[in-house]
């Protein structure tokens, strides 16, 4: 492997000609094999070269290869330089929070789902307030797009799960925790919120049962889009559908519905 630097370039003055020939070695400006060996053999070697040869460097700065490129580090850091170097300080928590919020806001305003949700909410309010009926052709077209979007989301979920090395992509522990949050913590939070707003009786029981339903596909779409733990969301959707029926039946029986 050739290592290029300012002193080892074939066009630099006095450098080593990498593509040298016998004529170059015999010329007046050439270097002999001994000089070439002294310059390159020991300095540009692998880390276990000294162990193989049974020796090492006597000390002092030497040419070493960088891990991220093929150039040579001409001025390696000493112990004093490393002691003088200070760690990079992180900005305050308020600045980091502001940057995160700005980044999330920019991503949300660029997402078509945000606009469609806002437009749908506005239309629902207008239609309910003034009894405006959407034309049949528009309503049917929106229904077709909605059905196609759901099918594509399920296809994306299946493709993502098929590409994972394991069936439970996030691991057994995290999957169990996700299921507990979904089917135990979710209904508990719904029950507390329903009691807080004044729901009682059958309406309260129905709200709890609805909270025990499996995870929707839309959270996985957003998680996959922004690469925020899609493995956990995919596992929650798939296995949530598998165990949702017996869990829902248990809630249904316990609540007396």
């Amino acid at each position: 492997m050739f290592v290029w630097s300012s002193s080892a370039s074939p066009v630099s003055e006095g450098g080593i000609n990498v593509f040298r020939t016998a004529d170059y070695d015999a010329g007046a400006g050439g270097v002999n094999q001994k000089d070439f060996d002294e310059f390159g053999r020991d300095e540009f070697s692998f880390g276990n070269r000294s162990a193989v040869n049974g020796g090492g460097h006597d000390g002092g700065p030497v040419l070493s290869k960088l891990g991220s490129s093929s150039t040579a580090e001409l001025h390696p850091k000493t112990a004093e330089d490393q002691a003088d170097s200070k760690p990079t300080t992180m900005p305050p928590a308020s600045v980091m929070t502001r940057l995160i919020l700005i980044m999330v806001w920019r991503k949300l305003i660029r997402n078509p789902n945000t606009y469609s949700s806002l437009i749908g909410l506005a239309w629902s309010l207008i239609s309910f307030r003034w009894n405006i009926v959407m034309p049949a052709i528009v309503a049917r077209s929106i229904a077709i797009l909605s059905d196609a979007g759901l099918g594509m989301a399920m296809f994306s979920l299946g493709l993502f799960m098929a590409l994972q090395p394991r069936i439970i992509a996030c691991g057994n522990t995290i999957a169990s925790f996700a299921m507990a949050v979904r089917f135990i913590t979710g209904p508990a939070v719904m029950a507390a919120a329903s009691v807080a707003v004044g729901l009682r009786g059958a309406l309260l029981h129905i709200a709890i049962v609805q909270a025990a339903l499996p995870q929707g596909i839309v959270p996985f779409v957003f998680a996959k889009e922004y690469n925020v733990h899609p493995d956990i969301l995919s596992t929650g959707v798939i296995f949530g559908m598998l165990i949702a029926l017996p869990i829902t039946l248990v809630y249904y029986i316990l609540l007396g519905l």
Side-chain angles (χ1 to χ4, degrees):
M1 178 182 295
F2 297 110
V3 179
W4 295 98
S5 64
S6 59
S7 61
S9 176
V11 298
S12 61
E13 183 178 358
I16 297 177
N17 190 352
V18 177
F19 303 98
R20 72 183 194 277
T21 59
D23 297 336
Y24 178 81
D25 291 337
V31 293
N32 54 27
Q33 184 68 22
K34 180 179 180 181
D35 295 336
F36 175 77
D37 293 341
E38 291 179 356
F39 183 83
R41 288 291 181 81
D42 293 334
E43 305 300 336
F44 295 90
S45 60
F46 295 98
N48 59 354
R49 179 64 180 273
S50 59
V52 174
N53 296 336
H57 296 289
D58 296 335
V62 297
L63 295 175
S64 61
K65 291 190 66 178
L66 295 175
S68 59
S69 64
S70 60
T71 58
E73 183 180 1
L74 298 179
H75 301 285
K77 292 183 178 181
T78 60
E80 297 178 357
D81 296 337
Q82 295 178 356
D84 294 339
S85 62
K86 297 180 179 180
T88 304
T89 58
M90 296 295 293
S94 59
V95 177
M96 293 296 298
T97 304
R98 182 180 178 183
L99 292 177
I100 293 174
L101 292 178
I102 292 175
M103 181 184 65
V104 172
W105 171 252
R106 289 179 178 177
K107 289 182 176 296
L108 286 178
I109 62 177
R110 296 175 183 176
N111 196 324
N113 293 326
T114 304
Y115 298 106
S116 61
S117 300
L118 295 178
I119 294 174
L121 179 61
W123 171 254
S124 299
L125 296 176
I126 294 173
S127 176
F128 178 79
R129 177 66 179 81
W130 287 286
N131 295 325
I132 300 177
V133 180
M134 184 178 295
I137 184 172
V138 177
R140 185 56 183 166
S141 300
I142 294 177
I144 293 175
L145 292 176
S146 177
D147 296 339
L150 180 61
M152 293 301 296
M154 295 299 294
F155 177 78
S156 176
L157 175 62
L159 184 62
F160 178 82
M161 293 293 292
L163 294 177
Q164 301 304 310
R166 299 182 298 176
I167 298 178
I168 304 178
C170 61
N172 298 331
T173 303
I174 299 179
S176 303
F177 179 76
M179 295 297 101
V181 170
R182 178 58 192 169
F183 294 105
I184 297 177
T185 307
V189 173
M190 176 59 73
S194 300
V195 171
V197 299
L199 291 181
R200 297 293 187 275
L203 292 179
L204 175 61
H205 297 168
I206 293 174
I208 296 175
V209 172
Q210 288 182 345
L213 295 178
Q215 180 69 44
I217 190 63
V218 177
F220 168 77
V221 174
F222 281 96
K224 186 67 173 61
E225 175 70 20
Y226 301 116
N227 195 22
V228 182
H229 304 293
D231 52 348
I232 299 178
L233 268 300
S234 61
T235 304
V237 172
I238 294 296
F239 288 92
M241 292 180 180
L242 296 177
I243 65 176
L245 181 58
I247 292 179
T248 305
L249 290 177
V250 170
Y251 275 105
Y252 188 88
I253 295 172
L254 292 178
L255 296 175
L257 297 175

